[in-house]
Amino acid sequence: ILVNAICLGISIDFELKGEDTSTFIILDHVFLIIFTTEFSLIMFVFGRKCFMDAWYRFDFLVIVGGILSQWLLVPIMSAQGLEGHFIVQIPQQLLIFRMLRLMRLVRAVRLVSSFKP
């Protein structure tokens, strides 16, 4: 989670400066695969009961949002030849949504601090 947060921060900085972010886009896909796998395992172990926890609901929404924006919306619009169209630029400019993923870091810190004696 910490490495993802650092990569997101650097990626956003590069994006705002207009620099090449292709490495960070690949890393973003890797992290999304990891988070999707993690949540799938949680669902396998706990079933629908995990949705009783607000953090797991938050994780679910962040993961679904990532899947929709990275794996569905952008490729579909790119295939339609709408790369420069404002609809394709919306996911790229949703920095606030991407920053929500950093909230996972808050959750991790909170969990670690709860283990202190």
Side-chain angles (χ1 to χ4, degrees), residues 42-68:
I42 289 169
M43 284 291 298
F44 179 75
V45 172
F46 297 111
R48 292 186 295 177
K49 287 187 273 184
C50 71
F51 286 107
M52 301 301 270
D53 186 297
W55 282 109
Y56 287 132
R57 287 193 305 264
F58 175 76
D59 286 348
F60 178 74
L61 291 175
V62 170
I63 291 168
V64 168
I67 289 170
L68 288 175

Side-chain angles (χ1 to χ4, degrees), residues 1-2 5 29 32 40-41 44 73 77 87 89-90 95 105 116:
I1 294 173
L2 180 61
H29 287 288
L32 186 57
S40 298
L41 291 172
F44 179 75
L73 185 60
M77 293 300 173
I87 294 174
Q89 294 173 358
I90 290 171
L95 298 180
L105 181 61
K116 289 184 178 179

